[in-house]
Amino acid sequence: MQTGKSGISGWLVRPAGVHLWAVLVVVLGASAVRTVRETPDGGMDNAIVVRAARTWLSGGSPYDDPHFLYFPSAVLAAAPQTLLPQDALRMVVPFAATALLALGWACALLLHRVPLGSRLAVLGLTGLSVGFLPFGHLVHLGNWTVTAAVALPLCLLLAGRGRWGAAGAVIGVAVALKPLLAPMVLLFLFAGRWRALTAAVLVPALASAGAALLLPDPAGFFTRTLPFLLHGDDGFVRLYEASPAAVLPRLGVPGPLAEGIAVVAAGAGVLCAYRRWRRADPGPLRLAETGAGLMLSAFLVSRPSYDHYLVVVLPLLLAGLPYAGSVARGPWFWVALVPQVPGLALPWLEPARRRAFKDAFTLCVLAVAVARQARPAEAGGGYGPGTGRERETARTPATPF
């Protein structure tokens, strides 16, 4: 990427000053320290996984806890945390989650050929931390979604450099830790990368099968967790789900109709992601927008579907801001983020248990914004708006940095 071009793109990719880096360090550090002070176990969601590992080490089944929604391989991955004192977990988990989110942002920048020392690198991560509520929620909960927030941009970065086999392995490891990125196998299907597809499937399958043999209830994920996920019978969890299948019934829409709407929307999203891939224009936007489209489509129909899932795709889209025609250059991207501004109180949606309506708005509008990128470039879906020079630069391969 050329840093000398005019306009907002040139300003964003120029080096950031020391004062901006200082602000970023303070913001991220303050968020992690606040979590340390407020959460005695390092985060409620990480505590669920660690508790499952402790149950296994004590001879019990981790699937006795209905809120443990992971593959058996996650039990073994969490086992090392059981060796740490509670005070150590309280300190380590928030900072580890913050570091992983920063690493995911760095991978998204590298995918888009944006220098890591640029203003966008610093201001983007600062903005995500202070201006996007799900980012803070993810750190506060210590949810393992942070692994997906790193794996998705890393996968696309490797794919963009032609290392598809490694990209598939990254997705496989991420799915073994948390099944969130399973929809990314469709990207490998779109691209016809069968080795990557094989790695993405075999790595979690073998890891989970091996781990299951060590559990007292080897089939627990299929006999207990999977039915829970399919039926969504937890009334407390349902209040925080953002998918239309969970939100529309709260507005009086019959459950089967709401589920049908969600399935149709997800199917349309996958079709748009496929068309975006088939458009095959040069530059990194193709990978980022196809991957984001697949994940957002899954979030529309998956149960559960939480606000912090958005942190997986948002950095990918935001990092494309220097490119004319990117999702982040469109108005709907920013409209989708309005409900997630900290401190914004919307009438009738102030209670925490009504937050799902705001999250559903963000999810649906963001999914539509990404789906619009499937339009042919000549019809406005490519490298416009922007000056001719910006469009030319967007197609120009990056210089090494």
Side-chain angles (χ1 to χ4, degrees), residues 2-401:
Q2 301 174 8
T3 60
K5 64 182 181 293
S6 60
I8 185 63
S9 298
W11 187 89
L12 285 172
V13 298
R14 294 191 186 107
V18 176
H19 59 291
L20 291 180
W21 284 105
V23 170
L24 175 61
V25 171
V26 170
V27 166
L28 294 181
S31 175
V33 170
R34 178 190 174 194
T35 301
V36 170
R37 296 182 60 191
E38 294 181 354
T39 57
D41 50 10
M44 178 179 69
D45 290 355
N46 182 69
I48 291 174
V49 188
V50 175
R51 186 166 58 247
R54 289 198 175 104
T55 300
W56 168 61
L57 291 173
S58 300
S61 171
Y63 294 104
D64 288 341
D65 184 352
H67 293 126
F68 178 71
L69 307 178
Y70 300 77
F71 287 146
S73 49
V75 178
L76 270 65
Q81 290 193 53
T82 63
L83 303 177
L84 296 176
Q86 196 67 25
D87 289 340
L89 277 179
R90 179 181 183 180
M91 293 288 296
V92 170
V93 172
F95 283 96
T98 301
L100 288 173
L101 291 173
L103 179 59
W105 172 242
C107 291
L109 292 170
L110 291 175
L111 169 66
H112 288 92
R113 307 162 188 172
V114 176
L116 296 183
S118 65
R119 289 168 176 161
L120 178 59
V122 179
L123 294 176
L125 188 54
T126 303
L128 287 170
S129 181
V130 302
F132 188 59
L133 274 173
F135 188 100
H137 292 164
L138 189 50
V139 175
H140 188 82
L141 293 171
N143 191 281
W144 282 29
T145 297
V146 295
T147 60
V150 176
L152 180 59
L154 177 58
C155 161
L156 298 179
L157 174 62
L158 292 169
R161 296 182 175 182
R163 301 175 60 185
W164 283 90
V170 167
I171 293 299
V173 171
V175 171
L177 295 176
K178 182 169 184 174
L180 192 63
L181 294 186
M184 287 300 295
V185 299
L186 291 176
L187 175 65
F188 305 135
L189 283 175
F190 295 168
R193 301 289 179 166
W194 309 116
R195 179 181 295 182
L197 177 62
T198 301
V201 173
L202 283 184
V203 169
L206 293 176
S208 293
L213 296 177
L214 303 176
L215 303 182
D217 184 12
F221 179 83
F222 297 100
T223 60
R224 303 168 77 174
T225 298
L226 197 57
F228 175 86
L229 290 173
L230 293 176
H231 297 292
D233 291 330
D234 192 315
F236 174 77
V237 168
R238 192 181 302 118
L239 294 174
Y240 297 93
E241 290 189 53
S243 68
V247 170
L248 290 178
R250 297 177 65 181
L251 298 175
V253 178
L257 178 59
E259 293 176 0
I261 292 173
V263 170
V264 170
V270 171
L271 177 61
C272 288
Y274 176 69
R275 291 189 60 188
R276 177 65 184 92
W277 177 258
R278 294 286 295 174
R279 207 176 83 192
D281 50 285
L285 294 182
R286 181 191 187 195
L287 278 166
E289 292 171 358
T290 302
L294 289 174
M295 294 309 305
L296 289 169
S297 299
F299 298 160
L300 287 171
V301 74
S302 65
R303 304 290 301 273
S305 182
Y306 300 125
D307 67 327
H308 54 77
Y309 289 2
L310 296 171
V311 182
V312 175
V313 299
L314 190 64
L316 270 178
L317 302 175
L318 183 61
L321 187 60
Y323 290 84
S326 66
V327 175
R329 289 287 189 99
W332 292 110
F333 174 82
W334 300 101
V335 170
L337 304 186
V338 170
Q340 305 302 333
V341 175
L344 177 64
L346 298 176
W348 299 289
L349 299 181
E350 297 92 341
R353 293 189 175 186
R354 294 182 183 176
R355 191 183 71 207
F357 294 105
K358 298 191 293 183
D359 301 335
F361 175 87
T362 298
L363 171 59
C364 293
V365 175
L366 198 58
V368 170
V370 174
R372 284 167 55 88
Q373 297 299 97
R375 297 176 300 168
E378 294 76 14
Y383 288 98
T387 65
R389 183 163 184 189
E390 283 177 319
R391 286 191 288 271
E392 179 182 355
T393 304
R395 294 182 174 92
T396 304
T399 54
F401 52 83

